[in-house]
Amino acid sequence: MSDRCKPSLVALLALVLSLGASAGAVTIDTMSVDPPAQSRALALYLARAAQGDPWSAPNEAMLEVDAYLPRLGEEGHLQAIRVWAENKRPEYDVIHLDGDPSVKRQVIARYLNAEQQAAAMQPSSLSITPANYKFRYVESRGEAPVYVFHITPRKKRSGLINGELWIDGTTGLVVHEAGYLVKRPSIFIRRLKIVRDVQLQDGAPWIRTSRIEIDAPFVGRAELTITESPCTCEQPGGILTQANGSDESMCSAGH
């Protein structure tokens, strides 16, 4: 992946991190005194979103990144503890890193750099709220309903997606997001698809899995799978900047 593709990863991460992030209080003008279940679920989602994004709050999480370039047959894997401190800048204590050198340098390392850059961006312009999107109810699924909404950007702006948002009716938490960027972040990117699933435990987000597909002319399709899960451990001294060569996890994650 060439240097010309790097801005696309920054725009991508801005989107990935902004989903569910705080966008301030929002009022739904169409809500009635006794709204239907799907409207209550949407209102609950927006209320929770206004409180902030638990995945980017000061915390520690186990982060795993799998990257694959099918055309070249190259891949790489990273396991790290992500420390998201009060200054909102994530840092990484690398536990294990392996794979083809080009994938480690050009895909995984750039993903981490882009995540740090995206953390400094303003998420409100990209968050999935009525300020940026139109919501159209599609259907409900399951006995404990999950409500599916089609989301369409109000403006064709970089970082926004056309896709779906699935909201758990009990908690208001998003359990599935999927879509395509409506505006290409670079002329060197043909298409960028994002799919994210969140597993809940006791009514709270537990494991988040994001799958990203990028179609680029020079390397073909790049595939990334990013898994985030709770981390409860004693941090070793200092933040490592390279793999320590150990396959043993220093953290108990929620897998």
Side-chain angles (χ1 to χ4, degrees):
M1 189 172 294
S2 68
D3 289 339
R4 290 175 292 182
C5 294
K6 185 174 180 180
S8 67
L9 287 178
V10 175
L12 164 64
L13 264 296
L15 170 64
V16 170
L17 294 179
S18 69
L19 298 179
S22 172
V26 179
T27 301
I28 303 177
D29 296 333
T30 58
M31 187 172 292
S32 64
V33 175
D34 186 19
Q38 62 267 27
S39 295
R40 290 196 299 270
L42 181 58
L44 186 56
Y45 156 72
L46 294 172
R48 296 190 71 121
Q51 298 173 8
D53 179 14
W55 296 100
S56 60
N59 61 18
E60 296 176 1
M62 177 63 75
L63 176 71
E64 295 193 43
V65 180
D66 289 287
Y68 181 48
L69 299 175
R71 178 187 294 179
L72 302 179
E74 297 181 347
E75 59 186 9
H77 174 76
L78 167 77
Q79 184 181 36
I81 299 170
R82 183 181 63 202
V83 181
W84 205 301
E86 293 290 344
N87 62 5
K88 299 295 184 180
R89 179 182 173 84
E91 295 183 329
Y92 309 92
D93 194 337
V94 176
I95 299 171
H96 184 71
L97 176 64
D98 62 19
D100 295 288
S102 59
V103 176
K104 291 189 290 186
R105 291 194 307 268
Q106 303 300 326
V107 181
I108 294 178
R110 288 185 173 181
Y111 175 88
L112 300 181
N113 290 335
E115 188 175 69
Q116 290 184 322
Q117 293 180 48
M121 295 181 178
Q122 177 56 254
S124 61
S125 63
L126 301 173
S127 57
I128 301 181
T129 64
N132 298 321
Y133 285 89
K134 297 177 182 178
F135 291 74
R136 179 174 60 83
Y137 173 65
V138 178
E139 62 181 346
S140 64
R141 299 187 178 187
E143 295 182 1
V146 169
Y147 296 96
V148 180
F149 292 86
H150 184 79
I151 53 175
T152 307
R154 294 186 179 275
K155 295 182 179 180
K156 191 176 181 179
R157 191 169 66 238
S158 295
L160 301 184
I161 67 171
N162 189 336
E164 287 188 345
L165 191 71
W166 297 18
I167 301 174
D168 178 73
T170 302
T171 63
L173 291 168
V174 173
V175 295
H176 178 79
E177 306 160 26
Y180 297 89
L181 289 182
V182 296
K183 186 174 182 180
R184 293 192 302 172
S186 167
I187 61 172
F188 302 103
I189 298 296
R190 294 193 186 102
R191 198 180 199 195
L192 196 153
K193 178 183 178 181
I194 300 170
V195 177
R196 168 178 287 165
D197 293 289
V198 178
Q199 297 179 35
L200 305 182
Q201 180 170 291
D202 298 327
W206 184 244
I207 298 176
R208 183 168 72 168
T209 303
S210 303
R211 297 174 180 85
I212 302 165
E213 293 183 6
I214 304 171
D215 288 329
F218 303 108
V219 298
R221 187 173 73 255
E223 301 174 355
L224 292 93
T225 300
I226 302 99
T227 304
E228 302 159 89
S229 55
C231 177
T232 55
C233 60
E234 282 190 25
Q235 275 299 108
I239 299 300
L240 304 181
T241 57
Q242 59 184 2
N244 60 14
S246 171
D247 292 323
E248 295 183 0
S249 172
M250 295 181 293
C251 179
S252 175
H255 292 291

